[in-house]
Amino acid sequence: MENGTFEVYFNLTMFVNIGPYRYLAFVFCFLLYAFIVSANLVIILTISQERSLHEPMYIFVSCLSINSLYGSAGLFPRLLQDLLSDTHLISRPACFTQVYIIYSYASYECTILSIMAYDRYIAVCHPLHYNSTISCKTISKLALLAWLCPAFSLATIVLLSVRLPLCGNEIKKVFCAPWFVVRLSCIDTTLNNVVGMLVTVSTIFLPLFYVLYTYLQIYLVCSKSSSEFKGKVLQKCLPHIVTYVIYCITAFSDIALSRFNPNELNPIVATILSLEFVVIPPILNPLVYGLKLPEIRRHIFRMLSWSKSII
């Protein structure tokens, strides 16, 4: 413990030296970021401006888009800077800020998707009680809960990590991650590991089990209903199912990656796997909801055609 220090800078060592191709990688990542920002802004503006879309399901879709902008802002500006730089040092405050933003984004995504599953469950299994159960007051409380719980959990993880004296400064990743910082500690990290496990279970696994339970109930109701009813339910639930499956796959990729020694993996593969949960959902969410939900799709096309007529 005497040899431990509070490092001023961390060194992100997972960046691969790709020579002049880094400019191509920069352009590719910049275009991805531009698409994420523009596509999610279109969803947010469409839902906020169209009064007919001021319903629980669409409000939660706009929450997903807001969260996508939040999470990608924690990754891309720094990533674009590092792609053009020969050194990849990040200050201690900037590192822990990035940890908080990226992993609170991941937790928000999971809680919002869980609330959307509850909304679909009430709509399909208890339609007569939907308006009384999913009221404006309930939506506000659920949205606030979806943001506050992850915010408190990630703040706890960051505070526990900040206190650790470290015996190194190399993070084998292209962005800061809490468990990679904890690995550098010179002291016992049992408390960090226990809290990290509790947060992972409460923000990922419990919501996952709840979503599986709600869709089991929805399936049981649909199995006893007409084909027309099944078609309507599928149309409403399919975007959420696709979104949740994609999120789970990308989140579990990052969790699994943390259990491996990065030196044993191909650096390009490790980089792609670690970036998936921050990049793929913000790209696919607006596409899935914008193209699959006819109400949003119709209003987007109308807004785009109106913009062209003005130009």
Side-chain angles (χ1 to χ4, degrees):
M1 181 173 175
E2 290 75 18
N3 295 327
T5 61
F6 289 90
E7 297 289 346
V8 178
Y9 289 94
F10 291 101
N11 186 19
L12 303 174
T13 62
M14 191 58 78
F15 282 92
V16 181
N17 184 8
I18 53 177
Y21 291 106
R22 63 181 176 176
Y23 299 106
L24 183 62
F26 174 87
V27 172
F28 177 72
C29 289
F30 178 80
L31 292 176
L32 276 182
Y33 187 38
F35 176 81
I36 287 172
V37 172
S38 57
N40 283 284
L41 279 177
V42 166
I43 294 291
I44 295 168
L45 291 173
T46 301
I47 293 174
S48 63
Q49 291 181 1
E50 295 294 335
R51 295 188 62 86
S52 61
L53 297 179
H54 293 180
E55 297 180 8
M57 181 172 64
Y58 304 120
I59 292 173
F60 294 136
V61 170
S62 67
C63 287
L64 281 180
S65 290
I66 293 170
N67 190 44
S68 294
L69 295 178
Y70 168 71
S72 55
L75 172 71
F76 278 98
R78 175 71 203 192
L79 179 63
L80 292 171
Q81 175 186 331
D82 282 329
L83 285 172
L84 297 181
S85 177
D86 293 324
T87 60
H88 306 107
L89 297 178
I90 181 171
S91 68
R92 187 182 180 92
C95 182
F96 285 114
T97 300
Q98 190 177 56
V99 165
Y100 182 83
I101 292 175
I102 290 178
Y103 287 91
S104 60
Y105 144 80
S107 300
Y108 296 150
E109 190 86 359
C110 200
T111 52
I112 293 170
L113 288 169
S114 301
I115 291 172
M116 293 175 73
Y118 173 70
D119 173 76
R120 293 298 85 205
Y121 165 71
I122 298 297
V124 175
C125 300
H126 304 284
L128 298 179
H129 300 285
Y130 182 81
N131 291 330
S132 60
T133 303
I134 310 295
S135 61
C136 292
K137 188 175 182 180
T138 303
I139 294 171
S140 302
K141 288 181 178 179
L142 290 174
L144 183 63
L145 184 66
W147 292 88
L148 285 181
C149 288
F152 176 77
S153 300
L154 265 298
T156 303
I157 287 178
V158 170
L159 289 174
L160 288 175
S161 301
V162 167
R163 71 183 179 87
L164 296 174
L166 307 176
C167 289
N169 72 335
E170 292 190 353
I171 297 178
K172 299 185 184 300
K173 215 168 172 67
V174 295
F175 59 88
C176 289
W179 37 81
F180 283 83
V181 174
V182 171
R183 284 178 181 176
L184 300 174
S185 175
C186 302
I187 63 174
D188 181 70
T189 59
T190 300
L191 179 60
N192 295 71
N193 294 332
V194 170
V195 172
M197 182 61 67
L198 290 175
V199 170
T200 302
V201 170
S202 62
T203 59
I204 295 181
F205 291 103
L206 287 181
L208 171 62
F209 293 142
Y210 178 74
V211 171
L212 292 176
Y213 167 77
T214 57
Y215 275 100
L216 175 61
Q217 298 301 312
I218 290 173
Y219 171 77
L220 293 175
V221 170
C222 289
S223 64
K224 303 174 184 177
S225 305
S226 65
S227 57
E228 182 182 358
F229 179 80
K230 292 177 184 176
K232 291 180 179 179
V233 170
L234 183 63
Q235 184 184 49
K236 293 290 186 181
C237 294
L238 185 59
H240 178 263
I241 296 172
V242 171
T243 303
Y244 200 82
V245 169
I246 291 170
Y247 172 75
C248 285
I249 292 173
T250 56
F252 288 141
S253 295
D254 185 68
I255 293 173
L257 188 64
S258 68
R259 304 302 175 188
F260 287 95
N261 183 351
N263 296 325
E264 298 175 356
L265 297 174
N266 182 293
I268 295 178
V269 173
T271 300
I272 293 173
L273 290 175
S274 66
L275 289 174
E276 278 184 349
F277 81 108
V278 198
V279 175
I280 293 180
I283 291 175
L284 292 185
N285 284 353
L287 292 177
V288 170
Y289 288 106
L291 297 177
K292 285 294 183 181
L293 292 179
E295 295 85 354
I296 295 181
R297 183 173 66 243
R298 184 171 63 252
H299 288 298
I300 287 176
F301 288 152
R302 191 172 70 181
M303 186 173 69
L304 292 176
S305 61
W306 178 74
S307 300
K308 288 181 179 179
S309 64
I310 293 179
I311 297 174

mmCIF file of all heavy atoms in Angstrom, residues 45-59 236 294-300 302:
data_model
loop_
_atom_site.group_PDB
_atom_site.id
_atom_site.type_symbol
_atom_site.label_atom_id
_atom_site.label_comp_id
_atom_site.label_asym_id
_atom_site.label_seq_id
_atom_site.Cartn_x
_atom_site.Cartn_y
_atom_site.Cartn_z
ATOM 1 N N LEU A 45 -37.516 15.017 -31.725
ATOM 2 C CA LEU A 45 -38.289 16.152 -32.236
ATOM 3 C C LEU A 45 -39.649 15.708 -32.754
ATOM 4 O O LEU A 45 -40.666 16.384 -32.544
ATOM 5 C CB LEU A 45 -37.508 16.854 -33.354
ATOM 6 C CG LEU A 45 -36.248 17.609 -32.915
ATOM 7 C CD1 LEU A 45 -35.472 18.121 -34.130
ATOM 8 C CD2 LEU A 45 -36.620 18.767 -31.994
ATOM 9 N N THR A 46 -39.685 14.554 -33.436
ATOM 10 C CA THR A 46 -40.953 14.044 -33.959
ATOM 11 C C THR A 46 -41.939 13.771 -32.835
ATOM 12 O O THR A 46 -43.110 14.180 -32.895
ATOM 13 C CB THR A 46 -40.719 12.758 -34.771
ATOM 14 O OG1 THR A 46 -39.824 13.031 -35.848
ATOM 15 C CG2 THR A 46 -42.031 12.225 -35.328
ATOM 16 N N ILE A 47 -41.487 13.093 -31.793
ATOM 17 C CA ILE A 47 -42.376 12.739 -30.683
ATOM 18 C C ILE A 47 -42.776 13.975 -29.879
ATOM 19 O O ILE A 47 -43.924 14.099 -29.446
ATOM 20 C CB ILE A 47 -41.704 11.692 -29.776
ATOM 21 C CG1 ILE A 47 -41.540 10.370 -30.537
ATOM 22 C CG2 ILE A 47 -42.506 11.462 -28.495
ATOM 23 C CD1 ILE A 47 -40.758 9.320 -29.797
ATOM 24 N N SER A 48 -41.849 14.907 -29.692
ATOM 25 C CA SER A 48 -42.165 16.096 -28.892
ATOM 26 C C SER A 48 -43.110 17.048 -29.607
ATOM 27 O O SER A 48 -43.927 17.712 -28.962
ATOM 28 C CB SER A 48 -40.867 16.834 -28.514
ATOM 29 O OG SER A 48 -40.198 17.301 -29.678
ATOM 30 N N GLN A 49 -43.031 17.105 -30.952
ATOM 31 C CA GLN A 49 -43.847 18.065 -31.694
ATOM 32 C C GLN A 49 -45.224 17.524 -32.069
ATOM 33 O O GLN A 49 -46.149 18.310 -32.297
ATOM 34 C CB GLN A 49 -43.104 18.503 -32.957
ATOM 35 C CG GLN A 49 -41.869 19.356 -32.660
ATOM 36 C CD GLN A 49 -41.154 19.793 -33.916
ATOM 37 O OE1 GLN A 49 -41.574 19.480 -35.038
ATOM 38 N NE2 GLN A 49 -40.053 20.518 -33.750
ATOM 39 N N GLU A 50 -45.367 16.197 -32.134
ATOM 40 C CA GLU A 50 -46.648 15.612 -32.529
ATOM 41 C C GLU A 50 -47.448 15.226 -31.287
ATOM 42 O O GLU A 50 -47.077 14.322 -30.558
ATOM 43 C CB GLU A 50 -46.420 14.375 -33.407
ATOM 44 C CG GLU A 50 -45.777 14.666 -34.746
ATOM 45 C CD GLU A 50 -46.664 15.500 -35.654
ATOM 46 O OE1 GLU A 50 -47.906 15.462 -35.478
ATOM 47 O OE2 GLU A 50 -46.125 16.195 -36.530
ATOM 48 N N ARG A 51 -48.553 15.923 -31.056
ATOM 49 C CA ARG A 51 -49.363 15.667 -29.864
ATOM 50 C C ARG A 51 -49.958 14.260 -29.873
ATOM 51 O O ARG A 51 -50.184 13.669 -28.810
ATOM 52 C CB ARG A 51 -50.492 16.704 -29.760
ATOM 53 C CG ARG A 51 -49.995 18.130 -29.526
ATOM 54 C CD ARG A 51 -51.153 19.071 -29.238
ATOM 55 N NE ARG A 51 -51.856 18.684 -28.011
ATOM 56 C CZ ARG A 51 -51.487 19.075 -26.804
ATOM 57 N NH1 ARG A 51 -50.414 19.849 -26.645
ATOM 58 N NH2 ARG A 51 -52.172 18.707 -25.746
ATOM 59 N N SER A 52 -50.197 13.711 -31.055
ATOM 60 C CA SER A 52 -50.760 12.360 -31.132
ATOM 61 C C SER A 52 -49.765 11.300 -30.641
ATOM 62 O O SER A 52 -50.157 10.167 -30.358
ATOM 63 C CB SER A 52 -51.181 12.041 -32.569
ATOM 64 O OG SER A 52 -50.065 12.094 -33.450
ATOM 65 N N LEU A 53 -48.490 11.679 -30.549
ATOM 66 C CA LEU A 53 -47.468 10.743 -30.075
ATOM 67 C C LEU A 53 -47.148 10.929 -28.597
ATOM 68 O O LEU A 53 -46.213 10.314 -28.085
ATOM 69 C CB LEU A 53 -46.182 10.903 -30.899
ATOM 70 C CG LEU A 53 -46.282 10.591 -32.394
ATOM 71 C CD1 LEU A 53 -44.949 10.808 -33.088
ATOM 72 C CD2 LEU A 53 -46.765 9.164 -32.628
ATOM 73 N N HIS A 54 -47.911 11.780 -27.927
ATOM 74 C CA HIS A 54 -47.681 12.005 -26.494
ATOM 75 C C HIS A 54 -48.367 10.908 -25.685
ATOM 76 O O HIS A 54 -49.257 11.157 -24.869
ATOM 77 C CB HIS A 54 -48.174 13.398 -26.082
ATOM 78 C CG HIS A 54 -47.372 14.503 -26.687
ATOM 79 N ND1 HIS A 54 -47.638 15.835 -26.464
ATOM 80 C CD2 HIS A 54 -46.285 14.463 -27.514
ATOM 81 C CE1 HIS A 54 -46.760 16.568 -27.132
ATOM 82 N NE2 HIS A 54 -45.942 15.763 -27.779
ATOM 83 N N GLU A 55 -47.940 9.690 -25.939
ATOM 84 C CA GLU A 55 -48.436 8.509 -25.246
ATOM 85 C C GLU A 55 -47.265 7.804 -24.568
ATOM 86 O O GLU A 55 -46.109 8.002 -24.972
ATOM 87 C CB GLU A 55 -49.123 7.557 -26.235
ATOM 88 C CG GLU A 55 -50.348 8.158 -26.909
ATOM 89 C CD GLU A 55 -50.991 7.188 -27.890
ATOM 90 O OE1 GLU A 55 -50.567 6.007 -27.913
ATOM 91 O OE2 GLU A 55 -51.890 7.605 -28.632
ATOM 92 N N PRO A 56 -47.544 6.986 -23.552
ATOM 93 C CA PRO A 56 -46.450 6.366 -22.780
ATOM 94 C C PRO A 56 -45.385 5.684 -23.621
ATOM 95 O O PRO A 56 -44.181 5.918 -23.434
ATOM 96 C CB PRO A 56 -47.194 5.366 -21.889
ATOM 97 C CG PRO A 56 -48.535 5.965 -21.690
ATOM 98 C CD PRO A 56 -48.868 6.653 -22.982
ATOM 99 N N MET A 57 -45.801 4.840 -24.570
ATOM 100 C CA MET A 57 -44.826 4.082 -25.341
ATOM 101 C C MET A 57 -43.881 5.001 -26.102
ATOM 102 O O MET A 57 -42.653 4.781 -26.121
ATOM 103 C CB MET A 57 -45.533 3.144 -26.326
ATOM 104 C CG MET A 57 -44.570 2.303 -27.153
ATOM 105 S SD MET A 57 -45.400 1.057 -28.145
ATOM 106 C CE MET A 57 -46.353 2.090 -29.250
ATOM 107 N N TYR A 58 -44.418 6.059 -26.709
ATOM 108 C CA TYR A 58 -43.586 6.969 -27.499
ATOM 109 C C TYR A 58 -42.728 7.856 -26.603
ATOM 110 O O TYR A 58 -41.612 8.227 -26.978
ATOM 111 C CB TYR A 58 -44.478 7.803 -28.411
ATOM 112 C CG TYR A 58 -45.356 6.968 -29.307
ATOM 113 C CD1 TYR A 58 -46.742 7.064 -29.254
ATOM 114 C CD2 TYR A 58 -44.792 6.056 -30.195
ATOM 115 C CE1 TYR A 58 -47.543 6.274 -30.061
ATOM 116 C CE2 TYR A 58 -45.589 5.263 -31.003
ATOM 117 C CZ TYR A 58 -46.970 5.376 -30.930
ATOM 118 O OH TYR A 58 -47.751 4.587 -31.721
ATOM 119 N N ILE A 59 -43.237 8.206 -25.438
ATOM 120 C CA ILE A 59 -42.440 8.980 -24.492
ATOM 121 C C ILE A 59 -41.219 8.174 -24.059
ATOM 122 O O ILE A 59 -40.103 8.706 -23.964
ATOM 123 C CB ILE A 59 -43.283 9.380 -23.267
ATOM 124 C CG1 ILE A 59 -44.353 10.402 -23.687
ATOM 125 C CG2 ILE A 59 -42.411 9.966 -22.160
ATOM 126 C CD1 ILE A 59 -45.344 10.741 -22.608
ATOM 127 N N LYS A 236 -46.756 -4.091 -32.093
ATOM 128 C CA LYS A 236 -46.436 -3.175 -31.010
ATOM 129 C C LYS A 236 -45.212 -3.613 -30.208
ATOM 130 O O LYS A 236 -44.444 -2.784 -29.719
ATOM 131 C CB LYS A 236 -47.635 -3.052 -30.055
ATOM 132 C CG LYS A 236 -48.855 -2.376 -30.654
ATOM 133 C CD LYS A 236 -48.607 -0.899 -30.883
ATOM 134 C CE LYS A 236 -49.891 -0.205 -31.350
ATOM 135 N NZ LYS A 236 -49.657 1.234 -31.600
ATOM 136 N N PRO A 294 -45.496 2.397 -37.205
ATOM 137 C CA PRO A 294 -46.042 3.195 -38.313
ATOM 138 C C PRO A 294 -46.372 4.628 -37.928
ATOM 139 O O PRO A 294 -46.254 5.538 -38.752
ATOM 140 C CB PRO A 294 -47.304 2.417 -38.711
ATOM 141 C CG PRO A 294 -47.630 1.543 -37.548
ATOM 142 C CD PRO A 294 -46.337 1.230 -36.892
ATOM 143 N N GLU A 295 -46.795 4.855 -36.667
ATOM 144 C CA GLU A 295 -47.149 6.207 -36.246
ATOM 145 C C GLU A 295 -45.932 7.121 -36.298
ATOM 146 O O GLU A 295 -46.002 8.244 -36.815
ATOM 147 C CB GLU A 295 -47.738 6.193 -34.825
ATOM 148 C CG GLU A 295 -49.058 5.468 -34.693
ATOM 149 C CD GLU A 295 -48.880 3.962 -34.487
ATOM 150 O OE1 GLU A 295 -47.720 3.493 -34.569
ATOM 151 O OE2 GLU A 295 -49.892 3.269 -34.274
ATOM 152 N N ILE A 296 -44.803 6.653 -35.768
ATOM 153 C CA ILE A 296 -43.582 7.463 -35.800
ATOM 154 C C ILE A 296 -43.078 7.600 -37.228
ATOM 155 O O ILE A 296 -42.692 8.699 -37.658
ATOM 156 C CB ILE A 296 -42.485 6.823 -34.908
ATOM 157 C CG1 ILE A 296 -42.911 6.851 -33.440
ATOM 158 C CG2 ILE A 296 -41.157 7.561 -35.077
ATOM 159 C CD1 ILE A 296 -41.881 6.259 -32.483
ATOM 160 N N ARG A 297 -43.091 6.509 -37.979
ATOM 161 C CA ARG A 297 -42.600 6.538 -39.357
ATOM 162 C C ARG A 297 -43.387 7.548 -40.200
ATOM 163 O O ARG A 297 -42.795 8.324 -40.964
ATOM 164 C CB ARG A 297 -42.708 5.138 -39.970
ATOM 165 C CG ARG A 297 -42.136 5.059 -41.387
ATOM 166 C CD ARG A 297 -42.107 3.628 -41.887
ATOM 167 N NE ARG A 297 -43.451 3.077 -42.065
ATOM 168 C CZ ARG A 297 -43.933 2.053 -41.387
ATOM 169 N NH1 ARG A 297 -43.191 1.464 -40.465
ATOM 170 N NH2 ARG A 297 -45.158 1.600 -41.603
ATOM 171 N N ARG A 298 -44.691 7.541 -40.058
ATOM 172 C CA ARG A 298 -45.529 8.458 -40.842
ATOM 173 C C ARG A 298 -45.203 9.913 -40.534
ATOM 174 O O ARG A 298 -45.065 10.744 -41.436
ATOM 175 C CB ARG A 298 -47.009 8.165 -40.549
ATOM 176 C CG ARG A 298 -47.967 9.005 -41.385
ATOM 177 C CD ARG A 298 -49.399 8.542 -41.235
ATOM 178 N NE ARG A 298 -49.881 8.683 -39.860
ATOM 179 C CZ ARG A 298 -50.089 7.659 -39.034
ATOM 180 N NH1 ARG A 298 -49.818 6.412 -39.429
ATOM 181 N NH2 ARG A 298 -50.543 7.862 -37.808
ATOM 182 N N HIS A 299 -45.050 10.235 -39.261
ATOM 183 C CA HIS A 299 -44.764 11.618 -38.870
ATOM 184 C C HIS A 299 -43.350 12.036 -39.256
ATOM 185 O O HIS A 299 -43.122 13.208 -39.593
ATOM 186 C CB HIS A 299 -44.963 11.791 -37.363
ATOM 187 C CG HIS A 299 -46.404 11.757 -36.947
ATOM 188 N ND1 HIS A 299 -47.320 12.685 -37.395
ATOM 189 C CD2 HIS A 299 -47.082 10.918 -36.117
ATOM 190 C CE1 HIS A 299 -48.506 12.429 -36.861
ATOM 191 N NE2 HIS A 299 -48.385 11.352 -36.085
ATOM 192 N N ILE A 300 -42.397 11.100 -39.236
ATOM 193 C CA ILE A 300 -41.027 11.421 -39.659
ATOM 194 C C ILE A 300 -41.014 11.774 -41.138
ATOM 195 O O ILE A 300 -40.417 12.785 -41.548
ATOM 196 C CB ILE A 300 -40.072 10.242 -39.373
ATOM 197 C CG1 ILE A 300 -39.806 10.124 -37.876
ATOM 198 C CG2 ILE A 300 -38.747 10.444 -40.115
ATOM 199 C CD1 ILE A 300 -38.956 8.921 -37.506
ATOM 200 N N ARG A 302 -43.443 12.827 -42.929
ATOM 201 C CA ARG A 302 -44.166 14.082 -43.135
ATOM 202 C C ARG A 302 -43.292 15.276 -42.754
ATOM 203 O O ARG A 302 -43.275 16.294 -43.444
ATOM 204 C CB ARG A 302 -45.450 14.087 -42.307
ATOM 205 C CG ARG A 302 -46.389 15.246 -42.660
ATOM 206 C CD ARG A 302 -47.722 15.102 -41.965
ATOM 207 N NE ARG A 302 -47.591 15.331 -40.523
ATOM 208 C CZ ARG A 302 -48.616 15.244 -39.674
ATOM 209 N NH1 ARG A 302 -49.811 14.888 -40.117
ATOM 210 N NH2 ARG A 302 -48.439 15.485 -38.391
#
